[in-house]
Amino acid sequence: MTSRLPHSSAVRTLHAVTVAAFLLLVLAPAFVPTMQAQQTQRAKTLGAKMMCVCGCNQILTACNHVGCQYSHAMLKELDDRVARGDSDNLILQSFIQEYGPTVLMEPPAKGFTWLVWIMPIVAPILAFFLIWQVVRRWRRRAVLAPAGGPALSPELLDRARRQAEKEIDE
Amino acid sequence: MDIFGSFALLLAFLAAVYAFVGGIAGILTRRALLTKSALNAGMAVFGLVTLAVGSLEYFFFTDNFSLAYVSAHSNTALPPFYKFAALWAGQEGSLLFWSWLLSIYAFWALFLNRKKHPELMPYVGVTLAGVQIFFLTLNNFVATPFKVLGGLDASGAMHVARLSEGSGLNPLLQYPEMVIHPPMLYSGYTGFTVPFAFALAALLGRYPGEKWIHITRRWTMVAWCFQSVGILLGAHWAYAVLGWGGYWAWDPVENASFLPWITGTAFLHSVMMQEKRGMMKVWNVWLVFVTFMLCILGTMLTRSGVVSSVHAFAESSIGGWFVGFLAVVFLVCLAAWWKNRDYLRSDNQLDSLVSRESSFLFNNLILLAACFAVLWGTLFPVLSEWVTNNKISVGPPFFNKVTVPIAMFLLFLTGVGPLLAWRKTSLDALQRNFAWPLGGGVLAGAVAFAFGFREFYPLICLIMSVFVTLTILAEFYRGARVIASRDGTNLLTAVGELTMRNTRRYGGYVVHFAMVLIFIGIAGSAFNQDIQKEMGPGDTLVIGKYTILCQNFDQVSNNNYQSERATLEILRNGRSEMMLYPERRFFLASQVTETMVAVQSSPLRDLYVVYAGRSPETNRPVIHAYLNPLVKWIWFGGIVLVLGTGLALMPNRRAALVLRPAGEASWGAVTQGAPGSPAPSPVVRRSGAHD
């Protein structure tokens, strides 16, 4: 019994290792593509935040210009950095250092470039305010303006009312 | 022949100068004969520029490569229709083409009105001549297409060189749409010169009333329609040729074409307020001025190299000329407005905020907000570089974030506007008109949401699209029902009758419906999918319900290009549906390779396949497939837009006269204080008035 215990323990350990190895072998392929897919998706998301620097004005992942000197190398670098586990911020910063701030698809909302974001909101509000003032002035004038038009006799007005009623009935 | 073309162009310039100077002298001295000869000179420009264009085309079609422009943009093997289109392939030729289109517009504007508006036309002639002088200056002295190859020898004698073969047309332009797209877009750009000339003329000459608006209404609609078609064809070209799976990249040159379209749209709406109520006169005049200036700005952006774009011509120093011209135009407009601002006083005031007038006001505000946002984003990189000395990019994410909410609000207003009455809308009418279109929109949104449609903007777009469509249908139905019950006709006949009675109004509704279709098509882009894979014969790629089976790769060639072609079988649910043949073409003359996309298009989705080249690592062919839903709706919307504009341009059905019985006074008689007039008074039963 005592002599079998170590044996049975060793066998159990061996069985456990075998099962674990089997599970790893069986399940790993199921996990690996998922991990790769996630990486690809992350690279795709990051690539969509950057512009190809070949002058095509297209997002990095969309540049398909034949013979583009930049997009292939940039995408490869992006994939490598994503695979290495670099953070999004680190990857974007390294691309800015390498290719300049034009590599970013949209400018950050800080410093001078903050203006690019704020003006499309401020300008319509200002325009709305201006129009509101014009409309108010118009309406004030409309209230103050005396009624115009030629003076009509009561008979003519009566006739006009009868005609209008007749036309409405029709 | 080059001398002939140059000479014709120089004469055209001199004729334009005479039309300008003689026109001003005619206005100042009030000498009718001088004015008439100046207007005739303005018309003669068309004939002379036509000769210059014909001369350049002669060089293209005879493969005469002694001209630098022809040798840079054509070659012997180029198909004839591309030789024709090579006219506008480069900076110099496209500027000549611009001048030609402008001269056509100017000729027709002057010719059709030669016996009308004697007070207005001299100013119109001078304004048109001023614009022509600028472009003909560029054609003659800055970017001439008639520059010959060769040079001076030691003795100072000129030797003309003639190449045996040209460099060929840019492969990206060798696509059927490139024969149509630039003429359409340029016709839009140049077309806005006519309303601009009439607006400035009316202001300078203090021409009474809204006459200039009536005269230019059709010109503006034609220019707007050309601009719309030009933009849509450009988008289709980008989709079918550039091979990145999209049709609009918010590229500076694309934006440049979009800006005058936005202000032109605003003008087409606000002009109705001036016609109906005599309001917004200053606004309308400035909208036309701004639209014209944006056309010039767009041309400058395309040609100056100020902003980088795949669509732009090569960088040149021509931008300075455009900046100078823009400054002159702005100063002239400003001075004309300031001097005559009392002439633009409104006849009426806004009676209620719930009225069609206020909806037009909001519509204009929103359109101008969109215009500002696009202009701001387009020019901000230039401003940033100028201020901070740092180059930055403003790409599609910025434009999408800023313009999509604006577009949704605009779509909402498209539905609201027609439901509101002029002057004031009662609460009852508001409830009656809004209830079921809005209910229908919300119901459609709820059903879509229940079926798992959760993307925010596409959902809003769906609700708004259903709402707008129902308001349009309701407008047709309400009007047609009255006619059908009165005339005893069926509803369909009544719809035709209603439409032909007021073509502008109902044509406008058709254009609104076209915009709905275009919006739905754009909303589909939220659900785009794409996948890229290295493929050899026998390999498959799955995207959505489609399986792409690679059969083989072969080579096709002709005099113009050599092509590597993929043969792909498209299977859907396991059944073979069709074959697609994406290509990569190597153009022999220009030594450039380009992709040729293969698209299987259906109303629900496009399967868009690109042969993207060979992998640098494995040298295996790479196929990139996209599944783009609803794209076809955009192109279909474009067709409906043209039909709607065509309808709006048609004259209303002739008014029929119905005589009142004797003894019944007309309203004219009543208001003139002559009650009971025994004479029968003709009354127009079928109104020809626009709404």
Side-chain angles (χ1 to χ4, degrees), chain A residues 57-58 64 72 102 104-106 115-116 127-128 138 159-160 163, chain B residues 242-244 251 308 349 362 376 393 395 397-398 401 665 667:
Chain A
N57 280 348
Q58 286 182 340
N64 65 334
H72 185 76
T102 47
L104 285 185
M105 258 289 167
E106 51 183 31
L115 275 176
V116 77
F128 182 80
W138 275 351
R159 196 178 154 77
Q163 177 80 22
Chain B
L242 295 183
W244 58 279
D251 179 276
S308 62
Q349 321 299 334
F362 274 110
W376 181 247
S393 304
F398 166 83
K401 277 177 196 164
W667 270 110

PDB file of all heavy atoms in Angstrom, chain A residues 57-58 64 72 102 104-106 115-116 127-128 138 159-160 163, chain B residues 242-244 251 308 349 362 376 393 395 397-398 401 665 667:
ATOM      1  N   ASN A  57      -4.627  60.648 -48.770  1.00  0.00           N
ATOM      2  CA  ASN A  57      -5.662  61.139 -47.849  1.00  0.00           C
ATOM      3  C   ASN A  57      -6.626  60.040 -47.420  1.00  0.00           C
ATOM      4  O   ASN A  57      -7.773  60.316 -47.091  1.00  0.00           O
ATOM      5  CB  ASN A  57      -6.466  62.288 -48.469  1.00  0.00           C
ATOM      6  CG  ASN A  57      -5.725  63.595 -48.373  1.00  0.00           C
ATOM      7  OD1 ASN A  57      -4.720  63.699 -47.662  1.00  0.00           O
ATOM      8  ND2 ASN A  57      -6.185  64.599 -49.091  1.00  0.00           N
ATOM      9  N   GLN A  58      -6.153  58.782 -47.452  1.00  0.00           N
ATOM     10  CA  GLN A  58      -7.031  57.696 -47.038  1.00  0.00           C
ATOM     11  C   GLN A  58      -6.556  57.119 -45.716  1.00  0.00           C
ATOM     12  O   GLN A  58      -5.389  57.268 -45.351  1.00  0.00           O
ATOM     13  CB  GLN A  58      -7.040  56.596 -48.093  1.00  0.00           C
ATOM     14  CG  GLN A  58      -7.840  56.990 -49.314  1.00  0.00           C
ATOM     15  CD  GLN A  58      -7.892  55.884 -50.332  1.00  0.00           C
ATOM     16  OE1 GLN A  58      -7.064  54.982 -50.332  1.00  0.00           O
ATOM     17  NE2 GLN A  58      -8.856  55.961 -51.218  1.00  0.00           N
ATOM     18  N   ASN A  64      -4.862  51.527 -50.798  1.00  0.00           N
ATOM     19  CA  ASN A  64      -4.598  50.363 -51.652  1.00  0.00           C
ATOM     20  C   ASN A  64      -3.849  50.780 -52.897  1.00  0.00           C
ATOM     21  O   ASN A  64      -3.935  50.125 -53.921  1.00  0.00           O
ATOM     22  CB  ASN A  64      -5.913  49.693 -52.043  1.00  0.00           C
ATOM     23  CG  ASN A  64      -6.739  50.602 -52.902  1.00  0.00           C
ATOM     24  OD1 ASN A  64      -6.591  51.815 -52.805  1.00  0.00           O
ATOM     25  ND2 ASN A  64      -7.587  50.050 -53.718  1.00  0.00           N
ATOM     26  N   HIS A  72       2.181  49.499 -46.713  1.00  0.00           N
ATOM     27  CA  HIS A  72       2.531  48.128 -46.348  1.00  0.00           C
ATOM     28  C   HIS A  72       3.461  48.117 -45.137  1.00  0.00           C
ATOM     29  O   HIS A  72       3.217  47.390 -44.164  1.00  0.00           O
ATOM     30  CB  HIS A  72       3.184  47.419 -47.538  1.00  0.00           C
ATOM     31  CG  HIS A  72       3.464  45.979 -47.268  1.00  0.00           C
ATOM     32  ND1 HIS A  72       2.466  45.029 -47.270  1.00  0.00           N
ATOM     33  CD2 HIS A  72       4.618  45.341 -46.945  1.00  0.00           C
ATOM     34  CE1 HIS A  72       3.004  43.862 -46.962  1.00  0.00           C
ATOM     35  NE2 HIS A  72       4.305  44.027 -46.769  1.00  0.00           N
ATOM     36  N   THR A 102       0.774  64.576 -39.018  1.00  0.00           N
ATOM     37  CA  THR A 102      -0.180  64.366 -40.124  1.00  0.00           C
ATOM     38  C   THR A 102      -0.658  62.926 -40.184  1.00  0.00           C
ATOM     39  O   THR A 102      -1.643  62.633 -40.863  1.00  0.00           O
ATOM     40  CB  THR A 102       0.461  64.704 -41.487  1.00  0.00           C
ATOM     41  OG1 THR A 102       1.726  64.091 -41.555  1.00  0.00           O
ATOM     42  CG2 THR A 102       0.588  66.189 -41.699  1.00  0.00           C
ATOM     43  N   LEU A 104      -2.062  61.304 -37.885  1.00  0.00           N
ATOM     44  CA  LEU A 104      -3.332  61.152 -37.165  1.00  0.00           C
ATOM     45  C   LEU A 104      -4.479  61.597 -38.059  1.00  0.00           C
ATOM     46  O   LEU A 104      -4.415  62.666 -38.665  1.00  0.00           O
ATOM     47  CB  LEU A 104      -3.343  61.980 -35.879  1.00  0.00           C
ATOM     48  CG  LEU A 104      -2.524  61.458 -34.703  1.00  0.00           C
ATOM     49  CD1 LEU A 104      -2.758  62.343 -33.493  1.00  0.00           C
ATOM     50  CD2 LEU A 104      -2.895  60.020 -34.367  1.00  0.00           C
ATOM     51  N   MET A 105      -5.546  60.784 -38.104  1.00  0.00           N
ATOM     52  CA  MET A 105      -6.694  61.087 -38.962  1.00  0.00           C
ATOM     53  C   MET A 105      -7.421  62.343 -38.509  1.00  0.00           C
ATOM     54  O   MET A 105      -7.952  63.088 -39.310  1.00  0.00           O
ATOM     55  CB  MET A 105      -7.691  59.922 -38.907  1.00  0.00           C
ATOM     56  CG  MET A 105      -7.627  59.046 -40.104  1.00  0.00           C
ATOM     57  SD  MET A 105      -8.304  59.900 -41.509  1.00  0.00           S
ATOM     58  CE  MET A 105      -7.787  58.858 -42.813  1.00  0.00           C
ATOM     59  N   GLU A 106      -7.513  62.509 -37.195  1.00  0.00           N
ATOM     60  CA  GLU A 106      -8.189  63.697 -36.687  1.00  0.00           C
ATOM     61  C   GLU A 106      -7.304  64.344 -35.637  1.00  0.00           C
ATOM     62  O   GLU A 106      -6.673  63.654 -34.843  1.00  0.00           O
ATOM     63  CB  GLU A 106      -9.568  63.349 -36.123  1.00  0.00           C
ATOM     64  CG  GLU A 106      -9.571  62.205 -35.133  1.00  0.00           C
ATOM     65  CD  GLU A 106     -10.961  61.858 -34.651  1.00  0.00           C
ATOM     66  OE1 GLU A 106     -11.915  62.031 -35.417  1.00  0.00           O
ATOM     67  OE2 GLU A 106     -11.073  61.418 -33.502  1.00  0.00           O
ATOM     68  N   LEU A 115      -9.488  74.237 -31.713  1.00  0.00           N
ATOM     69  CA  LEU A 115     -10.349  75.126 -32.507  1.00  0.00           C
ATOM     70  C   LEU A 115     -11.101  74.381 -33.604  1.00  0.00           C
ATOM     71  O   LEU A 115     -12.237  74.725 -33.934  1.00  0.00           O
ATOM     72  CB  LEU A 115      -9.509  76.228 -33.166  1.00  0.00           C
ATOM     73  CG  LEU A 115      -9.205  77.466 -32.329  1.00  0.00           C
ATOM     74  CD1 LEU A 115      -8.290  78.385 -33.111  1.00  0.00           C
ATOM     75  CD2 LEU A 115     -10.483  78.199 -31.945  1.00  0.00           C
ATOM     76  N   VAL A 116     -10.452  73.392 -34.201  1.00  0.00           N
ATOM     77  CA  VAL A 116     -11.101  72.679 -35.309  1.00  0.00           C
ATOM     78  C   VAL A 116     -12.374  71.989 -34.841  1.00  0.00           C
ATOM     79  O   VAL A 116     -13.337  71.846 -35.590  1.00  0.00           O
ATOM     80  CB  VAL A 116     -10.133  71.677 -35.998  1.00  0.00           C
ATOM     81  CG1 VAL A 116      -9.934  70.420 -35.201  1.00  0.00           C
ATOM     82  CG2 VAL A 116     -10.628  71.332 -37.399  1.00  0.00           C
ATOM     83  N   ALA A 127     -24.617  82.004 -35.311  1.00  0.00           N
ATOM     84  CA  ALA A 127     -25.505  82.308 -36.442  1.00  0.00           C
ATOM     85  C   ALA A 127     -26.961  82.223 -36.004  1.00  0.00           C
ATOM     86  O   ALA A 127     -27.782  83.071 -36.367  1.00  0.00           O
ATOM     87  CB  ALA A 127     -25.233  81.327 -37.580  1.00  0.00           C
ATOM     88  N   PHE A 128     -27.278  81.220 -35.195  1.00  0.00           N
ATOM     89  CA  PHE A 128     -28.646  81.063 -34.690  1.00  0.00           C
ATOM     90  C   PHE A 128     -29.042  82.283 -33.865  1.00  0.00           C
ATOM     91  O   PHE A 128     -30.147  82.814 -34.003  1.00  0.00           O
ATOM     92  CB  PHE A 128     -28.738  79.783 -33.854  1.00  0.00           C
ATOM     93  CG  PHE A 128     -30.110  79.520 -33.325  1.00  0.00           C
ATOM     94  CD1 PHE A 128     -31.075  78.961 -34.148  1.00  0.00           C
ATOM     95  CD2 PHE A 128     -30.450  79.847 -32.024  1.00  0.00           C
ATOM     96  CE1 PHE A 128     -32.362  78.727 -33.671  1.00  0.00           C
ATOM     97  CE2 PHE A 128     -31.723  79.623 -31.543  1.00  0.00           C
ATOM     98  CZ  PHE A 128     -32.679  79.047 -32.364  1.00  0.00           C
ATOM     99  N   TRP A 138     -37.839  91.724 -36.789  1.00  0.00           N
ATOM    100  CA  TRP A 138     -38.893  91.629 -37.800  1.00  0.00           C
ATOM    101  C   TRP A 138     -40.269  91.612 -37.131  1.00  0.00           C
ATOM    102  O   TRP A 138     -41.186  92.299 -37.533  1.00  0.00           O
ATOM    103  CB  TRP A 138     -38.724  90.345 -38.623  1.00  0.00           C
ATOM    104  CG  TRP A 138     -37.786  90.456 -39.778  1.00  0.00           C
ATOM    105  CD1 TRP A 138     -37.209  91.591 -40.263  1.00  0.00           C
ATOM    106  CD2 TRP A 138     -37.342  89.381 -40.609  1.00  0.00           C
ATOM    107  NE1 TRP A 138     -36.413  91.276 -41.335  1.00  0.00           N
ATOM    108  CE2 TRP A 138     -36.485  89.923 -41.569  1.00  0.00           C
ATOM    109  CE3 TRP A 138     -37.582  88.014 -40.619  1.00  0.00           C
ATOM    110  CZ2 TRP A 138     -35.860  89.162 -42.538  1.00  0.00           C
ATOM    111  CZ3 TRP A 138     -36.973  87.247 -41.583  1.00  0.00           C
ATOM    112  CH2 TRP A 138     -36.113  87.815 -42.525  1.00  0.00           C
ATOM    113  N   ARG A 159     -69.600  92.006 -49.297  1.00  0.00           N
ATOM    114  CA  ARG A 159     -69.583  91.271 -50.563  1.00  0.00           C
ATOM    115  C   ARG A 159     -68.404  90.277 -50.598  1.00  0.00           C
ATOM    116  O   ARG A 159     -68.545  89.132 -51.022  1.00  0.00           O
ATOM    117  CB  ARG A 159     -69.435  92.292 -51.682  1.00  0.00           C
ATOM    118  CG  ARG A 159     -69.762  91.792 -53.044  1.00  0.00           C
ATOM    119  CD  ARG A 159     -69.594  92.947 -53.999  1.00  0.00           C
ATOM    120  NE  ARG A 159     -69.288  92.480 -55.332  1.00  0.00           N
ATOM    121  CZ  ARG A 159     -70.191  91.971 -56.155  1.00  0.00           C
ATOM    122  NH1 ARG A 159     -71.447  91.909 -55.783  1.00  0.00           N
ATOM    123  NH2 ARG A 159     -69.835  91.554 -57.358  1.00  0.00           N
ATOM    124  N   ALA A 160     -67.262  90.771 -50.096  1.00  0.00           N
ATOM    125  CA  ALA A 160     -66.051  89.928 -50.080  1.00  0.00           C
ATOM    126  C   ALA A 160     -66.248  88.736 -49.157  1.00  0.00           C
ATOM    127  O   ALA A 160     -65.882  87.606 -49.486  1.00  0.00           O
ATOM    128  CB  ALA A 160     -64.859  90.757 -49.616  1.00  0.00           C
ATOM    129  N   GLN A 163     -68.568  86.224 -50.739  1.00  0.00           N
ATOM    130  CA  GLN A 163     -67.849  85.512 -51.814  1.00  0.00           C
ATOM    131  C   GLN A 163     -66.926  84.438 -51.230  1.00  0.00           C
ATOM    132  O   GLN A 163     -66.864  83.306 -51.713  1.00  0.00           O
ATOM    133  CB  GLN A 163     -67.040  86.518 -52.641  1.00  0.00           C
ATOM    134  CG  GLN A 163     -66.199  85.898 -53.732  1.00  0.00           C
ATOM    135  CD  GLN A 163     -67.021  85.557 -54.973  1.00  0.00           C
ATOM    136  OE1 GLN A 163     -68.103  86.124 -55.183  1.00  0.00           O
ATOM    137  NE2 GLN A 163     -66.531  84.622 -55.759  1.00  0.00           N
TER     138      GLN A 163
ATOM    139  N   LEU B 242     -10.923  53.831 -57.815  1.00  0.00           N
ATOM    140  CA  LEU B 242      -9.831  53.923 -56.831  1.00  0.00           C
ATOM    141  C   LEU B 242      -9.658  52.640 -56.023  1.00  0.00           C
ATOM    142  O   LEU B 242      -8.587  52.396 -55.477  1.00  0.00           O
ATOM    143  CB  LEU B 242     -10.050  55.121 -55.908  1.00  0.00           C
ATOM    144  CG  LEU B 242      -9.993  56.493 -56.614  1.00  0.00           C
ATOM    145  CD1 LEU B 242     -10.143  57.620 -55.608  1.00  0.00           C
ATOM    146  CD2 LEU B 242      -8.691  56.672 -57.392  1.00  0.00           C
ATOM    147  N   GLY B 243     -10.714  51.840 -55.919  1.00  0.00           N
ATOM    148  CA  GLY B 243     -10.576  50.499 -55.360  1.00  0.00           C
ATOM    149  C   GLY B 243     -10.353  50.435 -53.866  1.00  0.00           C
ATOM    150  O   GLY B 243      -9.756  49.482 -53.373  1.00  0.00           O
ATOM    151  N   TRP B 244     -10.848  51.417 -53.122  1.00  0.00           N
ATOM    152  CA  TRP B 244     -10.726  51.313 -51.652  1.00  0.00           C
ATOM    153  C   TRP B 244     -12.057  50.984 -51.004  1.00  0.00           C
ATOM    154  O   TRP B 244     -12.186  50.977 -49.779  1.00  0.00           O
ATOM    155  CB  TRP B 244     -10.105  52.579 -51.056  1.00  0.00           C
ATOM    156  CG  TRP B 244     -10.859  53.847 -51.342  1.00  0.00           C
ATOM    157  CD1 TRP B 244     -10.813  54.583 -52.471  1.00  0.00           C
ATOM    158  CD2 TRP B 244     -11.776  54.528 -50.472  1.00  0.00           C
ATOM    159  NE1 TRP B 244     -11.651  55.676 -52.380  1.00  0.00           N
ATOM    160  CE2 TRP B 244     -12.240  55.672 -51.160  1.00  0.00           C
ATOM    161  CE3 TRP B 244     -12.236  54.296 -49.175  1.00  0.00           C
ATOM    162  CZ2 TRP B 244     -13.155  56.567 -50.597  1.00  0.00           C
ATOM    163  CZ3 TRP B 244     -13.134  55.187 -48.629  1.00  0.00           C
ATOM    164  CH2 TRP B 244     -13.583  56.306 -49.316  1.00  0.00           C
ATOM    165  N   ASP B 251     -12.045  64.160 -49.106  1.00  0.00           N
ATOM    166  CA  ASP B 251     -10.812  64.702 -49.667  1.00  0.00           C
ATOM    167  C   ASP B 251     -11.035  66.190 -49.940  1.00  0.00           C
ATOM    168  O   ASP B 251     -12.147  66.596 -50.294  1.00  0.00           O
ATOM    169  CB  ASP B 251     -10.540  63.952 -50.975  1.00  0.00           C
ATOM    170  CG  ASP B 251      -9.292  64.432 -51.676  1.00  0.00           C
ATOM    171  OD1 ASP B 251      -9.372  65.425 -52.417  1.00  0.00           O
ATOM    172  OD2 ASP B 251      -8.253  63.797 -51.470  1.00  0.00           O
ATOM    173  N   SER B 308      -3.313  68.999 -49.988  1.00  0.00           N
ATOM    174  CA  SER B 308      -2.878  67.804 -50.721  1.00  0.00           C
ATOM    175  C   SER B 308      -4.081  66.930 -51.027  1.00  0.00           C
ATOM    176  O   SER B 308      -4.938  66.715 -50.169  1.00  0.00           O
ATOM    177  CB  SER B 308      -1.844  67.021 -49.916  1.00  0.00           C
ATOM    178  OG  SER B 308      -2.417  66.581 -48.720  1.00  0.00           O
ATOM    179  N   GLN B 349     -42.449  91.026 -42.964  1.00  0.00           N
ATOM    180  CA  GLN B 349     -41.815  90.531 -41.750  1.00  0.00           C
ATOM    181  C   GLN B 349     -42.278  89.098 -41.510  1.00  0.00           C
ATOM    182  O   GLN B 349     -43.249  88.642 -42.116  1.00  0.00           O
ATOM    183  CB  GLN B 349     -42.204  91.402 -40.545  1.00  0.00           C
ATOM    184  CG  GLN B 349     -42.286  92.879 -40.824  1.00  0.00           C
ATOM    185  CD  GLN B 349     -40.961  93.458 -41.280  1.00  0.00           C
ATOM    186  OE1 GLN B 349     -39.901  92.924 -40.958  1.00  0.00           O
ATOM    187  NE2 GLN B 349     -41.006  94.531 -42.033  1.00  0.00           N
ATOM    188  N   PHE B 362     -34.419  78.167 -41.035  1.00  0.00           N
ATOM    189  CA  PHE B 362     -33.657  77.118 -40.348  1.00  0.00           C
ATOM    190  C   PHE B 362     -32.889  76.260 -41.346  1.00  0.00           C
ATOM    191  O   PHE B 362     -31.747  75.907 -41.119  1.00  0.00           O
ATOM    192  CB  PHE B 362     -34.589  76.232 -39.521  1.00  0.00           C
ATOM    193  CG  PHE B 362     -34.850  76.789 -38.163  1.00  0.00           C
ATOM    194  CD1 PHE B 362     -36.080  77.298 -37.823  1.00  0.00           C
ATOM    195  CD2 PHE B 362     -33.848  76.835 -37.214  1.00  0.00           C
ATOM    196  CE1 PHE B 362     -36.325  77.832 -36.582  1.00  0.00           C
ATOM    197  CE2 PHE B 362     -34.076  77.369 -35.956  1.00  0.00           C
ATOM    198  CZ  PHE B 362     -35.322  77.871 -35.641  1.00  0.00           C
ATOM    199  N   TRP B 376     -14.232  74.701 -42.926  1.00  0.00           N
ATOM    200  CA  TRP B 376     -13.326  74.829 -41.782  1.00  0.00           C
ATOM    201  C   TRP B 376     -12.397  73.624 -41.694  1.00  0.00           C
ATOM    202  O   TRP B 376     -11.181  73.763 -41.552  1.00  0.00           O
ATOM    203  CB  TRP B 376     -14.170  74.988 -40.509  1.00  0.00           C
ATOM    204  CG  TRP B 376     -13.414  75.158 -39.237  1.00  0.00           C
ATOM    205  CD1 TRP B 376     -13.357  74.283 -38.202  1.00  0.00           C
ATOM    206  CD2 TRP B 376     -12.607  76.291 -38.845  1.00  0.00           C
ATOM    207  NE1 TRP B 376     -12.570  74.789 -37.192  1.00  0.00           N
ATOM    208  CE2 TRP B 376     -12.104  76.014 -37.558  1.00  0.00           C
ATOM    209  CE3 TRP B 376     -12.266  77.492 -39.450  1.00  0.00           C
ATOM    210  CZ2 TRP B 376     -11.273  76.907 -36.871  1.00  0.00           C
ATOM    211  CZ3 TRP B 376     -11.438  78.376 -38.756  1.00  0.00           C
ATOM    212  CH2 TRP B 376     -10.952  78.079 -37.494  1.00  0.00           C
ATOM    213  N   SER B 393      -3.498  66.645 -40.060  1.00  0.00           N
ATOM    214  CA  SER B 393      -4.492  66.117 -41.000  1.00  0.00           C
ATOM    215  C   SER B 393      -5.873  66.251 -40.376  1.00  0.00           C
ATOM    216  O   SER B 393      -6.030  66.073 -39.176  1.00  0.00           O
ATOM    217  CB  SER B 393      -4.235  64.634 -41.277  1.00  0.00           C
ATOM    218  OG  SER B 393      -2.927  64.453 -41.756  1.00  0.00           O
ATOM    219  N   GLY B 395      -9.178  64.380 -41.245  1.00  0.00           N
ATOM    220  CA  GLY B 395      -9.674  63.319 -42.125  1.00  0.00           C
ATOM    221  C   GLY B 395     -11.141  62.998 -41.923  1.00  0.00           C
ATOM    222  O   GLY B 395     -11.858  63.704 -41.209  1.00  0.00           O
ATOM    223  N   PRO B 397     -12.944  60.964 -40.080  1.00  0.00           N
ATOM    224  CA  PRO B 397     -13.632  60.891 -38.778  1.00  0.00           C
ATOM    225  C   PRO B 397     -14.137  62.259 -38.309  1.00  0.00           C
ATOM    226  O   PRO B 397     -15.237  62.362 -37.770  1.00  0.00           O
ATOM    227  CB  PRO B 397     -12.543  60.357 -37.833  1.00  0.00           C
ATOM    228  CG  PRO B 397     -11.599  59.633 -38.716  1.00  0.00           C
ATOM    229  CD  PRO B 397     -11.596  60.369 -40.001  1.00  0.00           C
ATOM    230  N   PHE B 398     -13.350  63.314 -38.534  1.00  0.00           N
ATOM    231  CA  PHE B 398     -13.782  64.661 -38.136  1.00  0.00           C
ATOM    232  C   PHE B 398     -15.056  65.048 -38.894  1.00  0.00           C
ATOM    233  O   PHE B 398     -16.049  65.470 -38.295  1.00  0.00           O
ATOM    234  CB  PHE B 398     -12.673  65.683 -38.410  1.00  0.00           C
ATOM    235  CG  PHE B 398     -13.153  67.112 -38.350  1.00  0.00           C
ATOM    236  CD1 PHE B 398     -13.263  67.767 -37.131  1.00  0.00           C
ATOM    237  CD2 PHE B 398     -13.533  67.796 -39.497  1.00  0.00           C
ATOM    238  CE1 PHE B 398     -13.740  69.077 -37.058  1.00  0.00           C
ATOM    239  CE2 PHE B 398     -14.004  69.096 -39.443  1.00  0.00           C
ATOM    240  CZ  PHE B 398     -14.103  69.736 -38.224  1.00  0.00           C
ATOM    241  N   LYS B 401     -18.117  63.052 -37.815  1.00  0.00           N
ATOM    242  CA  LYS B 401     -18.638  63.441 -36.506  1.00  0.00           C
ATOM    243  C   LYS B 401     -19.401  64.757 -36.577  1.00  0.00           C
ATOM    244  O   LYS B 401     -20.401  64.953 -35.902  1.00  0.00           O
ATOM    245  CB  LYS B 401     -17.472  63.589 -35.505  1.00  0.00           C
ATOM    246  CG  LYS B 401     -17.038  62.270 -34.909  1.00  0.00           C
ATOM    247  CD  LYS B 401     -15.857  62.462 -33.999  1.00  0.00           C
ATOM    248  CE  LYS B 401     -15.190  61.127 -33.713  1.00  0.00           C
ATOM    249  NZ  LYS B 401     -13.862  61.262 -33.160  1.00  0.00           N
ATOM    250  N   ALA B 665     -69.184  89.941 -60.456  1.00  0.00           N
ATOM    251  CA  ALA B 665     -67.970  90.750 -60.525  1.00  0.00           C
ATOM    252  C   ALA B 665     -66.740  89.935 -60.180  1.00  0.00           C
ATOM    253  O   ALA B 665     -66.796  89.016 -59.379  1.00  0.00           O
ATOM    254  CB  ALA B 665     -68.082  91.918 -59.574  1.00  0.00           C
ATOM    255  N   TRP B 667     -62.805  89.643 -58.639  1.00  0.00           N
ATOM    256  CA  TRP B 667     -62.171  90.250 -57.463  1.00  0.00           C
ATOM    257  C   TRP B 667     -61.469  91.538 -57.822  1.00  0.00           C
ATOM    258  O   TRP B 667     -61.461  92.480 -57.052  1.00  0.00           O
ATOM    259  CB  TRP B 667     -61.192  89.276 -56.833  1.00  0.00           C
ATOM    260  CG  TRP B 667     -61.908  88.478 -55.823  1.00  0.00           C
ATOM    261  CD1 TRP B 667     -62.221  87.161 -55.898  1.00  0.00           C
ATOM    262  CD2 TRP B 667     -62.486  88.968 -54.634  1.00  0.00           C
ATOM    263  NE1 TRP B 667     -62.955  86.781 -54.828  1.00  0.00           N
ATOM    264  CE2 TRP B 667     -63.136  87.871 -54.016  1.00  0.00           C
ATOM    265  CE3 TRP B 667     -62.563  90.203 -54.026  1.00  0.00           C
ATOM    266  CZ2 TRP B 667     -63.806  87.983 -52.835  1.00  0.00           C
ATOM    267  CZ3 TRP B 667     -63.232  90.325 -52.821  1.00  0.00           C
ATOM    268  CH2 TRP B 667     -63.846  89.228 -52.240  1.00  0.00           C
TER     269      TRP B 667
END
